Amino acid sequence: MANIRICAYTDKLSVKPGETLSVMASTDSADRVRAQLVRLIHGDENPDGPGFIEQAIASPIDREWPARKQYIQKGHFLHVADAGGKLAASGPITLHAYIFPTLPQAGRQMLLGRWSVDGISGFGLGINPSGHLEFWVGDGHATDAVAADVKLVAQVWYFVAVSYDPASGAATLYQESVVNRYNSLLSKIVPYDYRAHVTETLRVRPALPTDTSFLIGAATERNPARGAFFSQCYNGKIDRCGVQGAALDRAALDAIRAGGAPDTAHVLAYWDTAAGYTGHGIGDTVVDTGPYQLHAEGYNRPVRGQTGWNWNGRNDSFRLAPHEYGGIEFHNDALLDCRWEPTLSLTIPADLRSGVYAVKLTAGDSAAEEYTPFFVRAASPKAPVCLLIPTASYLAYANIGTAFDGALLQSITASTPIFQELDIEVYKNDVEFGLSTYDTHNDGAGVCYSSYRRPIINMRPKYRAPGIGTLWQFPADLSIVGWLEAMKYDYEVITDEDLQREGVAALAPYRVVLNCTHNEYYSERMMDATEDYLAQGGRLLYLGGNGYYWCVGFRDDEPWVMEVRKLEAGSRAWQARPGEHYLATTGERSGLWRHRGRPPQKLVGVGFTSEGMDISVPYRRMPDSYHRAVSWIFEGVEGEVFGDFGLGLGGAAGIEIDRYDLTLGTPPHARILASSEPFTDNYPLVQEEVYFMTPGLGGTQHPMVRADIVYFTTPNHGAVFSTGSIAWGSALPCANYQNAVSRLTKNIVDAFLTPGALPGSSYDADERHRD
């Protein structure tokens, strides 16, 4: 029997009873799948914990469903709405664009045109496999082309064009580097001639395929298995481009290259890629200012907010100089939405309790299985406790490819990573189903968008991070779910998506809110909502590490897509180019919240200080913990040292850790309840704290490499409890949830559930008043 593989995703992550959820699945070598609704309780198969726990829930989807292989369309491109065939090349024509190629020798790539790959018909201006600018035509039987005699150089701005007269067959290519601050520097110090001007008479006349669209950055192709799709996707930027209804001469093209507007008498289409910017970003529609309004729509969200051919380096945002930000960036490996057809749909039952669920898919007697997680909110909140699921951070790490970087893993874990056969299969799937914001595109540019409308292989229960030996993100967060179940708390779940959409109203109904293990990615609306919740008397348990770190953006109409730009600081796998630091989604500066004046210490008392994945360590109680204002927190916790156990590398403090720091905004009345025992030197001080490269930055030497447990009160009887460690949540299930970490957490939750003043708050208030 052939190996069966099932991959799936849902169209929503957060749903309420009565709403409908669709599951999109694809199978190899199977024509049916069996579905089962399950509630997820615990995701770690580690024998030191309770093991994997799921509960089957009876529902109408519990049966077999027809299934098939579904295909994926990768690549950025722009689709032009030209139903009337205005861009048909039936008469003289000129195609022109500013381009910034990044992989000019990565196979044939389309810039502008109407080309059928399988039908070998139409016309196109693009880059041939050898890296030369080329214009080609086809009549359905044969092709002919004219190519530049000078190769394109990667990461250089060019103005390129072709003038073509189908009556005579004369085609003239035009290739010139443009005059800007970046290119003028190259021309001063590099003795290289970027120009090419070539004229040929083409023997073949283009036959226009009626079912082939005009595209920017791709060509149309068909095969019997999948029908129409798009290939020959371009890598690089395209700035203002157009189609003229005349074969322009060199003087006319020189004028456009210098920044002049095309002669309106000949314009068929002119896509002003710098038009449409506002203080809140820009959308996916590229405006055609020509007479026919042939606007272009982005596919897989081509990256905007990028510098254009005329950027002079002085302005760092499209909000200041939108005319310098006409660059739209394309990548042939981009994927945001698989756009699969639904395999099945589920209307959430009215009596389904709020929690973490999945549709479990299996196929016959094979070992193949797939889980598609989703989160059910209460129709109207009633529980006093809320678990906030960090779906924004799940998106950031979705299908992370750097998890398979052996050298990186060895440096992080201080051991040789061992990959299992499953890891190899997962790696293949990750490449197929798109990238994470910790990866780079084929040309080395960072991935700034991520989406959940695709299978996310590492957002599955039981999934262990390759080479690290512990769970990460979603499956690790299920340990907190399991703890809430074991402690029999009345709780409900909401997601980052809900917080982004509703603001503080999503949190306000709850007396107590718990974060999960790693809520690293936050939008401005999410940050504001958290601050407002605390100001109104909310009580928050931050049970993780490296939270509230990166600034991200979402569109209200497409909440499944997140954008982030990695800037000059922070633990990052890539760095945005100069001038490209602002989110096209919202218009705001990305990077660290710390560098926008909102470090996490101001919000939850602690902030990121180090990471390491060799071991986790216990905590030691600090003098503050014995103060009568907070000593109740340690009732039932024996000894000064606790947390020397855990499913996350053997301790409660570790993996990624946070520290108390008054200089970064930790409230002055905050109590340091405990600090971690020393880490190894495999835990270096975080990069944003390093101003000079000196020895002594590791865990055995630097005093700032530590995890701090912090507690402080807020107005209106509110409070914050922060653990400063990702590993904390994975320590909760040990010894069947009967351990010091569990007891301490329960003491906090029980106290936070009690209305009115918190235990010891009168002592705290008296001391602050005397101070």
Side-chain angles (χ1 to χ4, degrees):
M1 177 184 289
N3 289 332
I4 295 176
R5 185 181 64 154
I6 309 170
C7 299
Y9 65 95
T10 57
D11 65 332
K12 304 170 186 172
L13 284 186
S14 178
V15 289
K16 291 181 178 180
E19 296 179 348
T20 298
L21 180 85
S22 293
V23 177
M24 278 60 69
S26 177
T27 63
D28 292 342
S29 306
D31 59 5
R32 301 188 71 81
V33 293
R34 174 166 287 280
Q36 171 71 60
L37 176 64
V38 296
R39 184 181 178 99
L40 298 176
I41 304 298
H42 193 261
D44 198 334
E45 296 178 298
N46 190 322
D48 293 335
F52 176 64
I53 302 173
E54 65 179 2
Q55 295 176 350
I57 307 293
S59 78
I61 68 168
D62 300 343
R63 64 177 178 85
E64 286 194 338
W65 296 83
R68 62 182 176 85
K69 180 176 179 61
Q70 302 206 59
Y71 293 90
I72 292 167
Q73 178 61 63
K74 284 190 173 183
H76 290 135
F77 55 87
L78 298 173
H79 182 277
V80 177
D82 182 25
K86 301 297 183 182
L87 309 179
S90 55
I93 194 171
T94 298
L95 308 177
H96 59 88
Y98 298 97
I99 68 169
F100 183 84
T102 53
L103 279 177
Q105 297 189 59
R108 184 169 294 278
Q109 301 171 61
M110 176 66 75
L111 295 171
L112 304 168
R114 202 164 197 155
W115 179 249
S116 171
V117 176
D118 58 300
I120 56 172
S121 58
F123 62 94
L125 175 65
I127 304 172
N128 68 21
S130 64
H132 292 81
L133 182 71
E134 183 175 290
F135 175 70
W136 61 90
V137 297
D139 62 5
H141 304 285
T143 63
D144 203 353
V146 55
D149 52 1
V150 177
K151 282 186 178 182
L152 294 166
V153 177
Q155 302 191 59
V156 169
W157 275 109
Y158 291 89
F159 180 77
V160 298
V162 61
S163 297
Y164 174 60
D165 183 353
S168 65
T172 300
L173 277 182
Y174 179 107
Q175 172 183 310
E176 290 269 0
S177 63
V178 298
V179 178
N180 64 16
R181 186 64 54 85
Y182 177 76
N183 281 3
S184 64
L185 178 62
L186 287 179
S187 63
K188 288 177 182 177
I189 63 176
V190 178
Y192 188 88
D193 190 352
Y194 302 93
R195 298 172 297 173
H197 298 272
V198 180
T199 298
E200 295 281 355
T201 299
L202 304 184
R203 293 164 296 175
V204 174
R205 301 297 184 266
L208 187 66
T210 57
D211 54 353
T212 299
S213 300
F214 191 96
L215 300 172
I216 301 172
T220 303
E221 188 168 354
R222 293 169 183 78
N223 67 37
R226 63 182 296 184
F229 62 101
F230 303 97
S231 62
Q232 298 184 356
C233 293
Y234 170 62
N235 295 279
K237 296 181 190 179
I238 296 178
D239 199 341
R240 280 143 283 210
C241 54
V243 181
Q244 310 296 313
L248 301 186
D249 60 20
R250 184 164 179 175
L253 291 173
D254 283 342
I256 298 174
R257 176 174 68 93
D263 185 346
T264 57
H266 302 303
V267 172
L268 296 178
Y270 182 68
W271 293 282
D272 187 351
T273 54
Y277 281 110
T278 71
H280 302 290
I282 194 167
D284 296 330
T285 301
V286 182
V287 176
D288 171 23
T289 61
Y292 305 112
Q293 301 288 285
L294 304 178
H295 307 311
E297 290 293 332
Y299 196 102
N300 280 325
R301 197 176 285 187
V303 184
R304 306 193 73 175
Q306 305 294 82
T307 55
W309 74 271
N310 56 342
W311 183 64
N312 65 16
R314 180 179 296 112
N315 298 302
D316 68 347
S317 170
F318 53 80
R319 291 164 56 176
L320 296 173
H323 62 285
E324 296 179 9
Y325 281 81
I328 301 180
E329 191 156 349
F330 300 79
H331 302 283
N332 67 355
D333 57 353
L335 176 66
L336 280 190
D337 190 340
C338 287
R339 305 192 188 201
W340 288 349
E341 295 180 1
T343 302
L344 61 95
S345 294
L346 168 68
T347 298
I348 307 302
D351 59 351
L352 192 64
R353 184 163 64 99
S354 177
V356 182
Y357 292 86
V359 175
K360 180 181 180 180
L361 300 174
T362 55
D365 297 328
S366 76
E369 67 176 16
E370 170 72 308
Y371 288 84
T372 59
F374 62 96
F375 309 93
V376 176
R377 300 180 65 186
S380 57
K382 295 183 178 65
V385 177
C386 168
L387 181 64
L388 177 56
I389 305 295
T391 49
S393 293
Y394 297 167
L395 288 184
Y397 287 92
N399 296 338
I400 180 171
T402 49
F404 297 91
D405 185 330
L408 176 64
L409 282 178
Q410 184 161 336
S411 67
I412 291 175
T413 63
S415 62
T416 300
I418 299 175
F419 295 108
Q420 307 297 319
E421 184 176 351
L422 176 61
D423 293 330
I424 304 303
E425 183 63 25
V426 167
Y427 175 70
K428 293 176 182 177
N429 290 347
D430 288 352
V431 172
E432 179 180 357
F433 297 131
L435 303 167
S436 79
T437 64
Y438 285 79
D439 298 315
T440 56
H441 290 289
N442 289 333
D443 61 359
V447 177
C448 65
Y449 289 118
S450 182
S451 162
Y452 63 71
R453 289 199 167 177
R454 55 184 174 133
I456 300 177
I457 307 304
N458 56 345
M459 189 182 155
R460 300 291 184 260
K462 302 187 282 190
Y463 182 81
R464 305 187 74 80
I468 296 175
T470 188
L471 300 192
W472 182 262
Q473 291 260 284
F474 173 70
D477 291 342
L478 288 175
S479 288
I480 299 177
V481 173
W483 179 81
L484 288 168
E485 293 283 333
M487 297 298 108
K488 301 187 184 307
Y489 285 116
D490 183 11
Y491 75 97
E492 296 167 355
V493 303
I494 66 170
T495 68
D496 284 350
E497 183 175 321
D498 303 314
L499 188 60
Q500 164 69 18
R501 179 174 53 249
E502 300 172 16
V504 70
L507 301 176
Y510 300 103
R511 189 170 299 158
V512 182
V513 173
L514 286 75
N515 284 130
C516 290
T517 61
H518 193 31
N519 55 320
E520 182 178 1
Y521 289 77
Y522 256 62
S523 70
E524 183 175 49
R525 197 178 300 172
M526 292 161 61
M527 290 286 282
D528 291 346
T530 307
E531 289 182 3
D532 292 344
Y533 173 73
L534 291 175
Q536 294 171 12
R539 296 170 178 182
L540 176 68
L541 284 84
Y542 168 41
L543 300 181
N546 189 13
Y548 310 97
Y549 192 65
W550 289 107
C551 170
V552 302
F554 297 88
R555 290 183 191 165
D556 291 340
D557 60 338
E558 293 185 353
W560 54 87
V561 180
M562 183 188 79
E563 182 185 8
V564 66
R565 306 282 177 114
K566 305 297 179 79
L567 306 190
E568 300 99 330
S571 294
R572 60 203 187 280
W574 55 274
Q575 183 167 309
R577 298 188 194 95
E580 299 176 352
H581 295 177
Y582 284 70
L583 300 174
T585 301
T586 62
E588 63 190 306
R589 179 179 166 87
S590 190
L592 300 186
W593 276 112
R594 170 176 175 168
H595 294 152
R596 287 182 55 180
R598 301 176 77 171
Q601 283 90 343
K602 287 184 177 181
L603 188 64
V604 292
V606 295
F608 188 38
T609 193
S610 185
E611 62 183 329
M613 296 173 187
D614 54 349
I615 62 169
S616 295
V617 300
Y619 289 91
R620 181 178 295 273
R621 290 183 65 173
M622 292 290 104
D624 277 358
S625 70
Y626 296 97
H627 191 279
R628 57 184 178 175
V630 294
S631 59
W632 56 270
I633 295 173
F634 285 85
E635 289 179 7
V637 178
E638 298 180 356
E640 287 197 356
V641 176
F642 63 95
D644 57 346
F645 51 83
L647 308 182
L649 303 181
I655 304 179
E656 296 190 18
I657 56 173
D658 298 356
R659 75 172 192 280
Y660 166 109
D661 194 324
L662 291 172
T663 66
L664 289 174
T666 299
H669 67 296
R671 306 278 183 180
I672 304 180
L673 304 179
S675 290
S676 60
E677 293 287 80
F679 289 98
T680 68
D681 286 335
N682 206 49
Y683 279 78
L685 185 64
V686 74
Q687 182 267 347
E688 56 265 29
E689 299 288 358
V690 179
Y691 302 133
F692 293 98
M693 297 306 300
T694 62
L697 300 177
T700 66
Q701 300 169 306
H702 204 288
M704 289 164 63
V705 178
R706 66 181 194 274
D708 292 329
I709 299 177
V710 168
Y711 171 85
F712 61 92
T713 55
T714 61
N716 302 307
H717 302 306
V720 174
F721 171 78
S722 298
T723 65
S725 165
I726 283 181
W728 182 274
S730 295
L732 292 170
C734 292
N736 198 27
Y737 303 99
Q738 302 301 309
N739 61 69
V741 171
S742 175
R743 177 58 188 269
L744 193 154
T745 308
K746 187 176 189 303
N747 289 345
I748 289 286
V749 174
D750 289 347
F752 280 15
L753 284 172
T754 303
L758 288 158
S761 58
S762 60
Y763 302 124
D764 227 13
D766 289 345
E767 289 198 4
R768 290 201 304 272
H769 182 69
R770 285 197 298 270
D771 292 343

